[in-house]
Amino acid sequence: MLLIRSRVAVRLLSVMLAGLCWTVQAAAQPVLPPNIVLIIGDDHGYPYFGFTGSAHVHTPHLDRLASAGALFTLGHTTDNHCRPALQSLVTGLYPVQFAALADSIRRRDAALSPEYAALAAPERERWDYMHQAQVMREFTTLPGLLSEAGYMSFQAGKWWEQSFANGGFTEGMSQGWAEEVWGQPGFFRELMGGDGIALARETMQPVYDFIDRHIETPFFLWYGPSLPHTPLSPPEEYARLYADTGLSESAKQYYGNCTWFDAGVGELLAHLDSRGLADRTLVIYVNDNGWEQPPFAEYAGDHILYSNGGPHGKLSIHDQAFRTPIVLYWPQEIAPQTFPDVLVSSTDLVPTILDFAGLAVPEYMPGKSLRPLMEGAADWDREAIIGRVTQLRSETDVMGHAQEGHYVRTRRWHFTLTGGQARLYDMLGDPYTDVAERYLELLPEFEAQIEAWRQELSTDLPQSAVPRLNR
């Protein structure tokens, strides 16, 4: 009996010592920052989610994120079409800031080029185009900043900046394209992201492989499928959800693409969960720009509307061209909550991500972290979102035409100024009727806000925004 008791005591002591050693080892392990997954909808209009109130569009996986995370319903992207809006998500800058800096870099490099001045006009255009395609590599980017905290990063999906490496990603799907393909058949697909365009439409494997390679390392995933963007060709399993409805044909197709996008999000979330990463991953959702497809409006016979959505959608300057839900989801860390009247911008996402990663937010960035809001801070003082566009809807070209316009969005009003013409929309009343004539006394103040914003953004950014500008 004494021997048995001694053995039991030894076993108990061994278990206690093992537990103590494990506790000490666990305490010694550094706390890793969260993995970050940035999900970007492509031409996904604000009204076309279940969680924003659509009675027609099926988005169960995004609905789950929105109900279990922090939902900002007054989110806005920075432009009315994709590339400038995506540049904001990579650099944290407004498009007007990015464009001005990119032009400074182009002028510098052209002056340093021994042959530029002698180029004929077509060759100079080609040189400028190639320079624009790669200029992102001169900027401080989100993936580059995250690398300072040990993050690996992966670009998947839409990507206009030629190669993933130009954005500071460590890996990616868009490998870049050779100058010889410029202007050739199929070039536009290369321009949008090349192999990245296959994401979700054809494959999820590159994303899965990246996640599986970095289970023990913090990672940043840029997940930007070209969905629900045209072509509007949802697979049968999603198209049949809308087949026997009274919806217009273009609505059936567009909503089917919305569900296709949502299904890819569901597959991505399932993969994270299967690898035990759900509780260690911050998931963020945002659109690149808006879209308009009412349930019974038929756009299939109109090339411009079919390709860009209704008149208030992509490439317009209406609120619906910029409006996006912004969702932040991190189980156990972010409480379910909705912010129905807080004006937030996609420029806030880079500071937010850096904040959660434990990194300082550069002072030059115009946005600010949303983390304090989600943790109960009440000092959010933004009264308006102001922006500029350089491309507007054309009656003949789906890409639009060059024209500058400005807008101001407050909680109630959406003010626009294009070609000297002012329009005003009451977003709490009738958001589609111009009421400028009824509120003429308000217009000068909105114009003054735009001018003050323009003056503020004309100030030179510090060297850290473009560290190689003066090389």
Side-chain angles (χ1 to χ4, degrees):
M1 180 68 70
L2 180 60
L3 180 60
I4 293 174
R5 288 178 177 173
S6 298
R7 287 174 177 172
V8 170
V10 169
R11 287 175 183 169
L12 287 173
L13 180 61
S14 298
V15 170
M16 291 172 63
L17 288 173
L20 179 62
C21 291
W22 181 90
T23 302
V24 171
Q25 289 175 354
Q29 293 290 328
V31 177
L32 293 176
N35 304 314
I36 298 162
V37 174
L38 180 60
I39 298 173
I40 307 164
D42 189 359
D43 293 356
H44 200 160
Y46 178 87
Y48 312 117
F49 303 82
F51 68 85
T52 59
S54 174
H56 304 282
V57 185
H58 301 271
T59 53
H61 303 292
L62 290 164
D63 293 350
R64 179 169 69 87
L65 289 183
S67 65
L71 168 62
F72 294 85
T73 63
L74 278 184
H76 285 79
T77 184
T78 57
D79 215 290
N80 62 1
H81 65 293
C82 53
R83 188 176 186 182
L86 297 179
Q87 288 168 342
S88 289
L89 291 174
V90 184
T91 65
L93 300 174
Y94 285 115
V96 63
Q97 294 175 303
F98 185 94
L101 289 168
D103 190 58
S104 295
I105 297 167
R106 183 195 62 78
R107 286 187 278 108
R108 176 207 66 187
D109 290 349
L112 293 173
S113 171
E115 73 276 359
Y116 185 82
L119 292 175
E123 286 74 25
R124 185 174 292 192
E125 179 186 1
R126 185 187 187 102
W127 190 98
D128 288 344
Y129 201 96
M130 290 300 301
H131 191 277
Q132 182 188 38
Q134 302 179 63
V135 73
M136 177 74 79
R137 62 188 176 184
E138 301 281 345
F139 286 75
T140 296
T141 65
L142 174 60
L145 289 169
L146 289 173
S147 68
E148 298 175 9
Y151 277 80
M152 302 300 287
S153 55
F154 191 80
Q155 168 273 322
K158 198 79 162 283
W159 184 248
W160 292 88
E161 313 306 324
Q162 198 191 39
S163 166
F164 68 85
N166 289 335
F169 292 91
T170 56
E171 305 174 45
M173 292 179 70
S174 298
Q175 303 294 318
W177 40 267
E179 184 175 353
E180 291 72 28
V181 306
W182 183 72
Q184 299 300 311
F187 174 62
F188 193 71
R189 186 179 189 278
E190 295 299 317
L191 190 62
M192 289 195 300
D195 291 345
I197 302 303
L199 179 67
R201 287 180 178 269
E202 301 173 28
T203 181
M204 295 283 285
Q205 199 59 47
V207 167
Y208 296 160
D209 292 343
F210 169 76
I211 291 171
D212 292 350
R213 285 195 300 271
H214 300 294
I215 287 178
E216 302 301 328
T217 307
F219 62 77
F220 169 62
L221 171 61
W222 171 281
Y223 180 85
S226 187
L227 282 168
H229 191 285
T230 57
L232 304 182
S233 54
E236 171 59 26
E237 60 183 305
Y238 312 124
R240 67 170 172 255
L241 295 172
Y242 307 97
D244 298 324
T245 66
L247 301 172
S248 68
E249 289 305 310
S250 58
K252 292 176 183 178
Q253 294 168 19
Y254 178 72
Y255 296 173
N257 268 25
C258 291
T259 303
W260 191 4
F261 173 83
D262 181 80
V265 172
E267 292 175 17
L268 172 60
L269 296 174
H271 189 82
L272 290 168
D273 191 50
S274 72
R275 298 304 188 262
L277 298 174
D279 290 342
R280 289 169 43 197
T281 302
L282 168 62
V283 179
I284 301 174
Y285 177 83
V286 67
N287 297 338
D288 64 347
N289 53 255
W291 190 270
E292 184 181 27
Q293 176 57 73
F296 307 109
E298 183 57 79
Y299 298 144
D302 187 313
H303 185 49
I304 299 298
L305 295 179
Y306 188 77
S307 300
N308 289 310
H312 304 101
K314 183 178 181 177
L315 286 173
S316 81
I317 198 169
H318 190 270
D319 177 72
Q320 199 159 322
F322 309 98
R323 184 83 174 270
T324 174
I326 292 178
V327 177
L328 294 99
Y329 169 83
W330 186 6
Q332 314 304 321
E333 298 293 335
I334 295 178
Q337 54 198 302
T338 300
F339 297 88
D341 58 357
V342 178
L343 288 166
V344 297
S345 165
S346 58
T347 58
D348 298 323
L349 292 182
V350 171
T352 301
I353 290 170
L354 294 175
D355 191 355
F356 276 106
L359 293 168
V361 179
E363 292 185 2
Y364 66 80
M365 290 187 177
K368 51 187 179 179
S369 174
L370 301 176
R371 186 175 184 178
L373 264 176
M374 294 182 288
E375 294 177 351
D379 59 348
W380 192 261
D381 58 358
R382 183 178 290 146
E383 296 297 324
I385 291 175
I386 304 172
R388 182 194 76 160
V389 299
T390 56
Q391 202 83 353
L392 286 171
R393 188 72 66 89
S394 165
E395 295 182 1
T396 58
D397 188 344
V398 296
M399 303 302 292
H401 68 277
Q403 182 180 351
E404 187 175 73
H406 290 85
Y407 61 92
V408 180
R409 177 61 153 92
T410 70
R411 291 177 183 84
R412 178 178 178 182
W413 303 106
H414 182 73
F415 171 81
T416 70
L417 187 62
T418 56
Q421 182 172 8
R423 293 184 174 88
L424 185 65
Y425 302 90
D426 186 350
M427 303 309 296
L428 301 181
D430 180 354
Y432 299 107
T433 299
D434 176 16
V435 294
E437 290 296 324
R438 294 186 224 164
Y439 297 94
L440 292 175
E441 71 280 6
L442 299 179
L443 306 190
E445 174 58 27
F446 288 126
E447 293 182 18
Q449 288 184 54
I450 289 171
E451 184 57 32
W453 181 81
R454 291 178 61 179
Q455 292 297 323
E456 179 183 355
L457 294 191
S458 66
T459 305
D460 290 340
L461 289 174
Q463 181 70 22
S464 55
V466 275
R468 293 188 288 274
L469 179 57
N470 297 318
R471 67 183 179 186

